């Protein structure tokens, strides 16, 4: 279908500037200074808004996969407007933030993202997942296949309207990013691109059962779901408790297999302080592995969970997101693509050199460090010995959960000499040490605990003043063994892009809890970490 998008006055200005050899979308100077921490150029993309916005409630017909009968989604539709009415002409569309949180059931309103996109010439559709909000449905569960086909149908409905160009994007954050990627695997005929922010890839590991341990505070996520079923939160938690191991339930929620079917360009964005940081990294890796390297992009910023444009440090502006949509959905706009396929902000934000961009992650070398009985952490292998700690599942403080967690830079790490922690620390770094990827802990332990318990490993950055910031964490689960046998465990910690500054130390903690991310339990006893030639070690991924 030829693009029949109508140009307003601002559109005419764009054409004149292009004829004169200057783009109206040229990146502006960054407010952070000339270098802007090496900010990618496309972050500064923008163009004038051309329209006001009109918002209406609409019912979108979809196929109910369970009963194979027609159903409807309750949606809010935001359209470019002039003089209080929808603007004439055809516009591309964006299917945005498909979640079970009842946004479309709320009073008619336009949030700042949707308003911005509509003002810049996009039809924006936001719907409630079937069985939530005011969308019809037969109950709701996280493992709810009808939401995939419903999203596909809604995208194709938006693209088939007389006021549409036929091109539609799918976008969202967190759950909304997850459903956008799931919808793309259904291959809607009108879908042209996806933008997924802080989206999980593996619900089992990244959210509900980190390392095989039932989540703590995050199970309260169920209270955000606007299900008409009074007992929904308890029923959903019972379902999760009935699946403590990876099984078919969790396989249905895993994006890895679904991403093999995605055929459109995808921009994944995430934060190094986000609960789903591994989700964004893994989603990009899965798309690359599926042969989509040319059209898959990843941005990892110094961000926690939430909107990319509202982050307090170095946000991804709405204009940068507009660049993505303009490139793939609007034939007459000079939308910019990222210069490289991966853009990452080195942590911690304070003192960081900023952004780096690559077409693929740089190759790293492995630097192995060994813990010792005296609490040291160094390259030489120490004599055989051991260090013990109490199996205390209440140890905290977690820094990457969805609910009730402080960010690493605002949290207070437990003291290194706490009874429930085995802590090991390097000498001060003489030069910057760049950790890029996942630290791997290879632990040799003996658990003398009275019941199964988490085994948690954390990498922390200790400044010269003693201030300690968590860089990454990893989890597994240890079964009780009354006979006290030695067991080995390999734990891949969360991915990170972290620079240990000169004078700083790396501290690695091993413990049995991570509150409130993990639930606590009534466990007594101790855990022994074995050191020495046949003992524990940590493999650090060091970038050039």
């Amino acid at each position: 279908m030829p693009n029949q998008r109508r140009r307003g006055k601002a559109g005419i200005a764009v054409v004149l500037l292009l004829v004169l050899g200057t783009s109206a979308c040229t990146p502006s100077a960054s407010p952070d200074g000339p270098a802007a921490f090496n900010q990618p150029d496309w972050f500064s993309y923008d163009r004038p808004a051309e329209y006001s916005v009109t918002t209406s409630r609409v019912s979108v017909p979809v196929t109910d996969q369970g009963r194979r009968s027609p159903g409807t989604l309750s949606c809010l539709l935001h359209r470019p407007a002039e003089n209080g009415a929808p603007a004439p002409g055809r516009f591309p569309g964006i299917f945005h933030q498909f979640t079970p949180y009842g946004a479309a059931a709320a009073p008619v309103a336009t949030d700042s993202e949707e308003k911005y996109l509509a003002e810049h010439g996009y039809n924006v559709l936001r719907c409630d997942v079937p069985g939530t909000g005011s969308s019809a449905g037969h109950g709701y569960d996280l493992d709810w296949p009808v939401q995939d086909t419903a999203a596909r149908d809604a995208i194709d409905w938006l693209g088939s309207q007389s006021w549409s160009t036929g091109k539609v994007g799918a976008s969202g954050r967190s759950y909304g990013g997850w459903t956008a990627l799931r919808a793309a695997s259904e291959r809607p005929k009108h879908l042209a691109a996806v933008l997924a922010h802080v989206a999980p890839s593996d619900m089992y590991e990244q959210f509900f059962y980190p390392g095989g341990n039932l989540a703590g505070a995050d199970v309260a996520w169920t209270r955000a779901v606007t299900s008409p079923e009074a007992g929904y939160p308890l029923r959903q938690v019972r379902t999760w408790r009935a699946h403590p191991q990876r099984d078919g339930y969790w396989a249905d929620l895993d994006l890895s297999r679904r991403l093999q079917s995605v055929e459109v360009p995808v921009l994944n964005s995430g934060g190094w302080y986000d609960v789903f940081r591994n989700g964004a990294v893994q989603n990009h890796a899965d798309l690359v592995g599926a042969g989509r390297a040319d059209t898959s992009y990843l941005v990892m910023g110094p961000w926690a969970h939430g909107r990319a444009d509202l982050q307090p440090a170095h946000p991804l502006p709405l204009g940068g997101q507009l660049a993505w949509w303009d490139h793939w959905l609007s034939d007459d706009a000079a939308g910019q693509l990222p210069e490289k396929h991966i853009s990452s902000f080195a942590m911690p934000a304070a003192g960081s050199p900023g952004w780096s961009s690559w077409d693929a992650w740089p190759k790293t070398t492995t630097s192995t460090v060994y813990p010792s009985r005296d609490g040291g952490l160094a390259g030489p292998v120490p004599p055989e010995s051991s260090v013990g700690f109490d199996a205390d599942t209440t140890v905290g403080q977690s820094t990457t959960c969805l609910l009730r967690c402080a960010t690493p830079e605002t949290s207070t790490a437990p003291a290194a000499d706490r009874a429930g922690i085995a802590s090991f620390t390097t000498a001060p770094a003489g030069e910057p040490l760049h950790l890029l990827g996942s630290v791997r802990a290879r632990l040799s332990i003996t658990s003398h605990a009275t019941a199964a318990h988490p085994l948690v490993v954390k990498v922390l950055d200790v400044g010269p003043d003693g201030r300690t910031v968590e860089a990454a964490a990893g989890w597994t689960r240890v079964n009780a063994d009354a006979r006290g046998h030695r067991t080995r465990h390999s734990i891949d910690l969360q991915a990170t892009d972290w620079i240990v500054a000169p004078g700083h130390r790396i501290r690695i903690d091993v413990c049995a809890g991570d509150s409130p991310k993990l639930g606590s339990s009534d466990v007594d006893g101790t855990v022994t970490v074995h050191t020495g030639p046949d003992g524990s070690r940590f493999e650090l991924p060091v970038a050039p």
Side-chain angles (χ1 to χ4, degrees):
M1 178 185 297
N3 181 22
Q4 300 181 40
R5 178 177 168 186
R6 181 173 175 269
R7 290 192 179 98
K9 293 180 180 179
I12 296 172
V14 170
V15 173
L16 289 174
L17 286 166
L18 289 173
V19 169
L20 293 173
T22 305
S23 171
C25 305
T26 299
S28 58
S30 166
D32 293 324
F37 290 87
N38 305 314
Q39 175 178 284
D41 288 346
W42 60 280
F43 272 38
S44 299
Y45 177 93
D46 209 348
R47 56 181 172 81
E50 303 180 43
Y51 304 96
S52 57
V53 183
T54 179
T55 300
S56 60
R57 196 181 303 280
V58 298
S59 294
V60 175
V62 297
T63 300
D64 186 321
Q65 190 183 53
R67 296 187 178 181
R68 301 293 180 185
S69 59
T72 59
L73 292 181
S74 175
C75 308
L76 293 179
L77 175 63
H78 313 285
R79 294 178 59 186
E82 292 178 345
N83 301 316
R90 298 182 181 183
F91 301 87
I94 297 175
F95 181 62
H96 178 65
Q97 201 61 1
F98 188 44
T99 70
Y101 306 140
V108 174
T110 308
D111 77 4
S112 58
E113 283 181 285
E114 293 157 353
K115 179 176 183 290
Y116 177 89
L117 292 167
E119 288 175 339
H120 288 78
Y122 288 90
N123 300 308
V124 185
L125 184 68
R126 182 170 186 165
C127 306
D128 291 336
V129 164
T132 70
S134 53
S135 286
H138 314 295
Y140 167 79
D141 190 281
L142 184 67
D143 179 22
W144 192 220
V146 70
Q147 63 190 332
D148 304 331
T149 55
R152 176 201 64 201
D153 293 347
I155 289 168
D156 283 340
W157 177 88
L158 182 58
S160 65
Q161 300 306 301
S162 61
W163 28 265
S164 171
T165 63
K167 289 186 175 183
V168 178
S171 72
R173 63 187 174 276
S174 194
Y175 194 107
W178 183 66
T179 54
L181 290 166
R182 289 172 70 99
S185 73
E186 296 285 331
R187 298 180 178 176
K189 62 183 178 181
H190 287 285
L191 185 65
V194 172
L195 196 163
H197 180 60
V198 293
S201 61
D202 179 353
M203 285 287 197
Y204 180 84
E205 174 65 32
Q206 295 163 12
F207 196 34
F208 298 106
Y209 277 94
N213 303 284
L214 182 65
D218 284 350
V219 298
W221 167 84
T222 55
R223 299 173 188 170
V225 174
T226 58
S227 170
E229 178 189 350
Y232 162 75
L234 181 58
R235 176 180 62 78
Q236 183 72 89
V237 173
R238 284 174 174 168
T239 298
W240 296 332
R241 286 184 178 274
H243 298 275
Q245 308 296 327
R246 285 188 181 274
D247 57 17
Y249 180 86
W250 300 108
D252 288 343
L253 299 173
D254 196 320
L255 280 180
S256 296
R257 175 174 50 85
R258 294 177 180 273
L259 293 180
Q260 306 299 309
S261 301
V262 173
E263 296 181 331
V264 299
V266 176
L267 171 60
N268 280 288
S269 59
W272 289 123
Y273 286 161
D274 180 43
V275 60
F276 297 135
R277 69 164 92 171
N278 275 16
V281 173
Q282 188 61 51
N283 288 334
H284 174 71
D286 286 339
L287 288 165
V288 171
R292 309 297 304 176
D294 289 345
T295 55
S296 181
Y297 295 82
L298 174 66
V299 180
M300 294 298 295
W303 310 323
H305 201 70
R307 279 177 48 172
D309 62 302
L310 298 181
Q311 296 293 323
H314 312 284
L316 170 55
L318 289 177
Q321 299 171 53
L322 180 66
W324 177 258
W325 299 126
D326 277 0
H327 182 87
W328 296 112
L329 305 184
S330 295
D331 294 338
D332 63 347
Q336 291 177 277
L337 282 180
E339 297 85 355
K340 300 286 186 179
H341 286 269
I342 297 172
S343 297
S344 177
F345 192 98
M347 304 299 289
S352 170
W355 294 93
S356 296
S357 296
W358 314 278
D359 278 325
W361 290 110
K363 291 184 177 181
T364 59
T365 57
T366 299
S367 176
T368 301
V369 290
Y370 300 85
S372 58
R373 180 177 175 80
D374 63 1
L377 189 63
V381 180
E384 183 173 349
S385 189
S386 63
V387 177
F389 62 89
D390 293 342
D392 181 359
T393 63
T394 66
V395 170
Q397 173 179 18
S398 309
T399 62
T400 51
C401 30
L402 189 65
L403 304 170
R404 292 171 46 197
C405 268
T407 62
E409 291 188 346
T410 61
S411 69
T412 302
D417 58 356
R418 179 170 172 171
I421 297 175
S423 189
F424 310 97
T425 307
T426 66
E431 57 185 26
L433 179 68
H434 189 182
L435 303 180
L436 185 63
S438 295
V439 172
R440 175 167 292 170
R442 296 189 182 274
L443 294 178
S444 175
I445 70 162
T446 300
S447 176
H448 305 278
T450 56
H453 60 85
L455 184 62
V456 181
V457 179
K458 296 196 172 191
V459 174
L460 305 107
D461 183 320
V462 182
D465 60 356
R467 184 168 180 268
T468 304
V469 182
E470 183 181 315
W475 311 267
T476 192
R477 189 161 183 82
V478 177
N479 292 321
D481 184 354
R483 293 171 294 180
H485 289 161
R486 181 186 290 204
T487 57
R488 297 185 184 277
H489 306 269
S490 180
I491 305 173
D492 287 337
L493 278 63
Q494 296 163 309
T496 192
D497 181 351
W498 193 279
I499 296 180
V500 181
H504 287 231
R505 302 168 184 257
I506 296 174
R507 172 178 141 189
I508 297 183
D509 288 353
V510 183
C511 55
D514 194 13
S515 179
K517 183 180 184 71
L518 305 183
S520 60
S521 56
D522 187 12
V523 179
D524 291 320
T526 61
V527 179
T528 300
V529 178
H530 299 285
T531 65
D534 195 38
S536 303
R537 65 184 187 273
F538 304 97
E539 298 170 356
L540 311 180
V542 179

